[in-house]
Amino acid sequence: MDTVEIRRRFLAHFADRGHTVVPSASLVAEDPTLLLVNAGMVPFKPYFLGDLPAPWRRATSVQKCIRTVDIENVGRTARHASFFQMCGNFSFGDYFKAEVIPYAFELLTAGFGFKEADLWATVYHDDDEAEQIWRTLLPPERIQRRGKEDNYWSMGVPGPCGPCSEIYFDRGPAFGRDGGPIADEERYLEVWNLVFMQFERGPGAGYDYPILRDLPSRNIDTGLGLERMATILQGVDNLYEIDISRPVLDRASELTGKRYGADPADDVRLRVVADHTRTAALLIADGVVPSNEGRGYVLRRILRRAVRNVRLLGGRDPVMADLFDASVRALGPIYPELTDREVAITQIAVGEEGSFLETLRTGTTIFDTAAAAAKTSAGAVLPGADAFKLHDTYGFPIDLTLEMAAEAGLAVDEDGFRRLMARQREAAKADRRGRRIGNVDLSVYRPLLERSGPTVFTGYTELERSSRVTGLLGGADGALQPAAVEGDEVGLVLDVTPFYAESGGQEPDTGKILFDGGELEILDVQRPVADLVVHRARVLRGELRSGTEVRAQVDADRRAAISRSHTATHLIHQAFRRALGETATQAGSLNSPGRLRFDFRSPGAVPPSVLADVEDEVNEVLVKDLEVRAFVTTQDEARRLGAMALFGEKYGDEVRVVDVGDYARELCGGTHVARSGQLGSVKLLSESSVAAGTRRVDGLVGIDAFRFLAREHLLVARLAGALKARPEELPDRVADIVGKLRDAERELERVRADAVLAGAATLAAGAEDVGGVAVIAAEAPPGTSGDDARKLVVDVRGRLGERPAVVALATRGDGRATIVVATTDGARTLGLRAGDVVREAAGALGGRGGGKPDLAQGGGTDPDGVPRALGVVRAIVARTTGG
């Protein structure tokens, strides 16, 4: 039975029993406590908690899920994967244990053909009711009771939870020992978890958390792993060999030349590659891009683990394009968005692969050096500072460093690494602290939403209106408070607002709130949870109380400038797609007053000529003064009209479409100008890389663009006057001057080097005998560079012939000192190695050094220590030779 058919039968079974079939939600979790959807019930969490009324009494879905907490087990067991599909049926206060257990048993036996004799069930240790129901379907000896770790379910964070009953399939004696799931979970494979969702849990680690309350109703949440079910029904050994995984595994095998089944270690790596490639494809399809934070870091880590396992399998060439092609073909029948966006999805993966291969080339050398030093330490531990440097400077994720260290027989000082990471994060937070309203606190917003209802936004059509204060949030925890007085900074909630909350790359409005006897300054506007707008405000005068009638006034000039930038972003997006193709889709934006930032997909840098063409085309649209129109319609109608949807964005059933004449049509909730001519002018300033496969352009709009062009014109006029050239001649004239300067610098360098080397004969002639070794320990002429000093010591050493000799030259300048030491074969035979000599001598300079036995260099921050350092060289020779 192929996976598509298993999926169809599951949904049909519950649809026939009154369940509404709900499509899979995005992998990007709307729940602020989660990065990614990790269970089938996550999209239904507000209904279980009673925060929102459930649209259905019964529902069923096959939900895309990602879990990476046990990523190290991926590929090693038959049942671990980072991406999986969770088939579920849900009851929101409708039916409970007596119905759900028979529903599941009927589907497994009648629908999927399981033999009753192969099924086992477990229940929570004190759940007599569930056991009694199971006794009507299974003999008592195949029902086992287990504790909280096995038969009590939560999301891993505060939220709904409850005891559960799990159904297991006995794979037979060949897979392990007798005794049921308690004895061996490799032989007895869990296929379905029936959760009796009755409680809400609080914070806590592991299984140590408090139960806060009974939920408003008793609910059902079940989870049947689609891949695990396919493993059983298709008669394969593990989920990597089923019909929607095996093609990717086989392609990885072809690309690396490793036959699956030939070597257990290689098999694990091939399974990791297959799993991680599929996971990455689905994450990118849902709008996640590689980055160093949040879900973007999860994606980057997964992609890089896949690439590294390909390297461990012997692959040296880029493989992501081929592996993504196999993934799309395998999963496209279930998730058509993979097929629709294949080119854009693959470009992102290929770009990240190229970036990581370069990281591996540079960072591996650094790691090897650090690992070699760590092996000589007593504890064989890679210092946290080295791990942090690999992460911060060379882009090595800590998990990659941990893997490579383990392979090298080393531990890593993870505590030290995390301290440095925390210090860096605190520094970054300090720059942003105070700007935003703060983290979502559902215990505050939930009652506020229930009591006051959603905030109505009227800012598309008005910039000023009367409103009523429905909530004031203050203090470190953002708690509701009755009033705010002069000097207070509070979160302000209105029943109706013309203020635009930051969204879709558009910066928030600012402005004023006036009330009888008082005034507030609006500093920021956010939408911390759906349907609730919170204004960060400072009370300038008066006392504001909840329930007060106020007058809200948006800063009209700022709004107009931001709207110009947002409309310009739409035009730039369209122009890039026309210039580079349909894959040049938006990956992010920032629209601020007079300035914009636009990120888009591109495998490489955009030529300056294309950038100029895009700018020219956009400004032509402005001259045409096209009408900008917004309207609301259904998603299907918007698609029929050709409206562009942003990759990875979530949209409701009704969407807002923004047209700029017949040039651009896009789904958008932001604010815009009335006509394109109101933008005045658009000037693109720069183009750069922000991530693998993602480019960024910065630009100016309106008066800011005019001012920039005026300054640029003045600068060009001054340069032309200074160089006595016409403006169009400036590039050639400047290039000619720069070329002549470089030639002059090279000639000066040659003259200086010749002058330094001219003293080699004099230095060699002045060698002193110390215990039979010719010693030259001198300060190089002022202005001698480190490179020149190395050349000079090598030249002097060559003039001393075959006798044992040590040559040391020191330089100083700019608050630093350098010492370079060279030795002959005869000196090294006596035990005088340059690296050892430098290490000891550099201490006199307040620093350190090292190098090879024949040539080494060191330095420090104490230039006055040069005479002492040269004396140390003489002393080392005397000590070694007894002279």
Side-chain angles (χ1 to χ4, degrees):
M1 192 183 298
D2 64 32
T3 304
V4 172
E5 175 61 15
I6 298 169
R7 185 176 184 274
R8 187 199 66 77
R9 289 195 189 189
F10 183 93
L11 294 174
H13 177 79
F14 287 102
D16 290 344
R17 287 153 183 79
H19 293 65
T20 299
V21 177
V22 180
S24 173
S26 167
L27 284 166
V28 177
E30 292 188 2
D31 186 330
T33 66
L34 296 171
L35 283 178
L36 298 164
V37 171
N38 62 2
M41 59 73 61
V42 169
F44 305 111
K45 177 182 173 183
Y47 312 139
F48 287 129
L49 288 171
D51 294 343
L52 294 172
W56 337 271
R57 297 288 286 173
R58 303 178 174 200
T60 184
S61 70
V62 179
Q63 173 63 45
K64 297 178 289 185
C65 301
I66 285 182
R67 289 182 192 168
T68 58
V69 291
D70 52 359
I71 197 169
E72 300 304 326
N73 287 323
V74 170
R76 300 183 184 278
T77 74
R79 55 195 178 89
H80 279 94
S82 58
F83 167 77
F84 59 95
Q85 298 166 85
M86 188 60 74
C87 304
N89 59 288
F90 308 93
S91 165
F92 307 104
D94 187 6
Y95 61 83
F96 205 51
K97 299 177 186 179
E99 293 83 7
V100 72
I101 291 173
Y103 281 166
F105 187 78
E106 182 184 0
L107 177 58
L108 288 176
T109 53
F112 291 146
F114 282 85
K115 296 176 181 177
E116 178 270 330
D118 293 332
L119 297 178
W120 290 64
T122 63
V123 297
Y124 192 48
H125 68 88
D126 65 357
D127 194 345
D128 296 333
E129 181 186 0
E131 180 174 358
Q132 288 304 315
I133 297 168
W134 272 118
R135 282 174 175 261
T136 66
L137 302 168
L138 293 176
E141 62 270 18
R142 281 194 273 120
I143 305 168
Q144 297 181 328
R145 295 194 183 223
R146 305 185 80 173
K148 194 171 186 179
E149 183 174 352
D150 297 292
N151 276 75
Y152 203 96
W153 192 91
S154 81
M155 295 167 59
V157 295
C161 65
C164 61
S165 176
E166 295 180 333
I167 309 172
Y168 289 79
F169 169 68
D170 181 2
R171 303 164 77 194
F175 289 89
R177 61 185 185 276
D178 294 336
I182 288 177
D184 190 341
E185 287 199 7
E186 285 298 316
R187 169 177 169 174
Y188 300 91
L189 200 64
E190 180 203 333
V191 294
W192 208 337
N193 187 9
L194 315 178
V195 182
F196 313 129
M197 203 74 83
Q198 299 169 256
F199 309 109
E200 181 177 3
R201 59 158 283 190
Y207 298 94
D208 183 21
Y209 50 80
I211 299 300
L212 302 179
R213 61 166 179 147
D214 289 352
L215 293 176
S217 59
R218 298 196 306 173
N219 311 297
I220 288 296
D221 156 36
T222 84
L224 176 147
L226 182 59
E227 285 83 0
R228 196 171 294 182
M229 181 58 64
T231 301
I232 297 169
L233 296 181
Q234 292 175 21
V236 294
D237 288 340
N238 59 65
L239 56 83
Y240 307 98
E241 298 175 18
I242 64 175
D243 59 334
I244 59 172
S245 300
R246 187 60 189 252
V248 190
L249 188 150
D250 287 342
R251 190 70 184 115
S253 177
E254 293 169 9
L255 291 167
T256 59
K258 298 292 186 180
R259 184 174 64 83
Y260 184 65
D263 177 81
D266 286 346
D267 288 352
V268 170
R269 293 182 181 122
L270 286 168
R271 290 194 288 262
V272 169
V273 172
D275 170 86
H276 285 12
T277 305
R278 295 179 343 125
T279 303
L282 285 152
L283 273 172
I284 297 171
D286 278 347
V288 181
V289 295
S291 71
N292 287 329
E293 292 184 345
R295 56 184 66 96
Y297 179 70
V298 174
L299 172 60
R300 171 162 284 168
R301 181 186 182 196
I302 285 170
L303 275 170
R304 292 187 168 192
R305 288 187 96 240
V307 172
R308 184 160 184 272
N309 274 277
V310 168
R311 302 276 288 185
L312 292 172
L313 287 163
R316 289 294 176 264
D317 298 325
V319 297
M320 278 298 135
D322 289 309
L323 291 173
F324 265 58
D325 177 67
S327 297
V328 170
R329 291 178 186 278
L331 289 166
I334 299 175
Y335 301 108
E337 63 267 26
L338 288 172
T339 305
D340 296 342
R341 300 168 179 166
E342 180 175 4
V343 175
I345 290 168
T346 303
Q347 279 185 349
I348 293 170
V350 168
E352 179 67 15
E353 177 183 35
S355 172
F356 185 52
L357 289 175
E358 182 59 32
T359 293
L360 281 176
R361 278 189 286 272
T362 56
T364 300
T365 302
I366 306 301
F367 173 84
D368 290 343
T369 302
K375 285 181 178 179
T376 64
S377 66
V381 175
L382 189 75
D386 288 337
F388 178 75
K389 181 180 179 182
L390 281 163
H391 167 84
D392 195 47
T393 306
Y394 299 100
F396 260 48
I398 182 61
D399 60 288
L400 176 59
T401 300
L402 290 169
E403 287 181 14
M404 294 176 68
E407 291 165 6
L410 293 170
V412 176
D413 176 14
E414 291 187 64
D415 290 339
F417 168 81
R418 300 193 191 287
R419 279 195 299 272
L420 291 168
M421 283 294 296
R423 191 179 305 164
Q424 184 187 62
R425 288 194 189 100
E426 275 305 312
K429 284 180 183 177
D431 292 335
R432 303 190 300 268
R433 193 169 288 133
R435 181 175 184 272
R436 295 292 175 241
I437 288 163
N439 294 326
V440 174
D441 185 348
L442 294 179
S443 66
V444 172
Y445 294 126
R446 184 185 299 153
L448 186 57
L449 266 175
E450 289 175 353
R451 187 183 71 223
S452 305
T455 308
V456 177
F457 173 65
T458 62
Y460 291 134
T461 57
E462 61 183 5
L463 297 180
E464 183 174 344
R465 71 160 294 116
S466 296
S467 302
R468 183 174 58 85
V469 177
T470 59
L472 289 168
L473 310 173
D477 57 355
L480 282 167
Q481 59 186 52
V485 298
E486 185 174 325
D488 284 353
E489 194 168 294
V490 294
L492 172 69
V493 181
L494 304 174
D495 60 345
V496 183
T497 182
F499 285 91
Y500 183 85
E502 182 175 13
S503 178
Q506 179 172 328
E507 287 198 348
D509 286 332
T510 59
K512 297 178 181 177
I513 298 282
L514 302 176
F515 61 97
D516 187 18
E519 179 182 355
L520 288 84
E521 178 186 11
I522 300 301
L523 307 170
D524 184 24
V525 187
Q526 297 289 318
R527 196 182 299 272
V529 292
D531 298 328
L532 188 71
V533 174
V534 181
H535 312 71
R536 185 162 66 90
R538 181 183 296 119
V539 183
L540 301 180
R541 55 188 176 86
E543 179 182 1
L544 179 69
R545 303 192 69 83
S546 187
T548 301
E549 295 292 328
V550 299
R551 189 73 181 170
Q553 297 178 348
V554 174
D555 182 332
D557 291 339
R558 174 183 165 86
R559 163 71 79 82
I562 293 174
S563 297
R564 287 192 289 268
S565 294
H566 202 152
T567 304
T569 298
H570 282 222
L571 300 179
I572 291 168
H573 188 188
Q574 180 63 25
F576 269 117
R577 284 167 62 87
R578 288 160 68 107
L580 300 176
E582 294 299 304
T583 59
T585 53
Q586 181 172 331
S589 66
L590 177 65
N591 302 301
S592 54
R595 180 175 288 270
L596 64 86
R597 188 181 72 208
F598 178 72
D599 298 345
F600 60 100
R601 313 292 184 203
S602 177
V606 177
S609 60
V610 172
L611 209 61
D613 290 343
V614 166
E615 181 183 290
D616 190 53
E617 181 172 319
V618 168
N619 281 292
E620 283 186 8
V621 173
L622 308 192
V623 172
K624 292 177 182 178
D625 196 27
L626 301 177
E627 180 187 6
V628 179
R629 185 175 69 99
F631 60 94
V632 176
T633 185
T634 65
Q635 270 209 57
D636 290 342
E637 178 65 9
R639 287 196 198 95
R640 190 189 69 78
L641 293 172
M644 194 188 316
L646 295 190
F647 188 33
E649 284 291 312
K650 301 189 189 79
Y651 300 100
D653 293 333
E654 285 199 333
V655 293
R656 184 169 182 262
V657 180
V658 175
D659 283 347
V660 183
D662 59 357
Y663 181 77
R665 173 171 285 168
E666 200 167 311
L667 303 188
C668 180
T671 65
H672 292 270
V673 298
R675 305 192 69 86
S676 65
Q678 293 173 356
L679 272 61
S681 180
V682 172
K683 176 62 185 173
L684 299 184
L685 302 177
S686 63
E687 189 271 351
S688 60
S689 172
V690 289
T694 304
R695 309 295 298 183
R696 170 173 293 171
V697 291
D698 288 279
L700 298 172
V701 185
I703 191 65
D704 294 84
F706 281 120
R707 287 169 178 159
F708 173 84
L709 292 169
R711 289 193 301 270
E712 196 172 60
H713 175 74
L714 180 61
L715 177 62
V716 169
R718 287 178 176 173
L719 282 172
L723 297 176
K724 294 182 171 55
R726 293 192 301 274
E728 62 269 22
E729 295 173 344
L730 284 177
D732 290 339
R733 184 66 63 86
V734 171
D736 181 56
I737 292 171
V738 170
K740 288 178 180 177
L741 282 172
R742 286 175 179 161
D743 291 342
E745 287 172 353
R746 281 193 287 268
E747 180 62 20
L748 283 172
E749 182 67 26
R750 187 187 64 77
V751 171
R752 185 169 61 248
D754 287 347
V756 169
L757 292 175
T762 302
L763 286 169
E768 56 183 303
D769 186 282
V770 179
V773 175
V775 177
I776 297 170
E779 185 171 351
T784 302
S785 68
D787 286 342
D788 288 343
R790 283 191 294 275
K791 293 174 184 175
L792 186 54
V793 295
V794 172
D795 191 308
V796 172
R797 180 180 61 184
R799 294 172 185 267
L800 296 175
E802 299 299 323
R803 56 182 168 156
V806 174
V807 182
L809 288 178
T811 66
R812 52 177 143 182
D814 296 328
R816 289 193 59 81
T818 300
I819 185 167
V820 183
V821 175
T823 60
T824 61
D825 289 340
R828 291 192 292 278
T829 301
L830 296 172
L832 293 164
R833 290 179 289 273
D836 297 337
V837 174
V838 158
R839 251 186 295 276
E840 193 169 337
L845 302 175
R848 57 184 179 179
K852 297 179 181 179
D854 62 329
L855 183 65
Q857 180 174 326
T861 56
D862 182 10
D864 294 334
V866 165
R868 292 195 302 274
L870 296 175
V872 168
V873 173
R874 295 187 188 94
I876 291 172
V877 176
R879 184 178 69 221
T880 303
T881 62

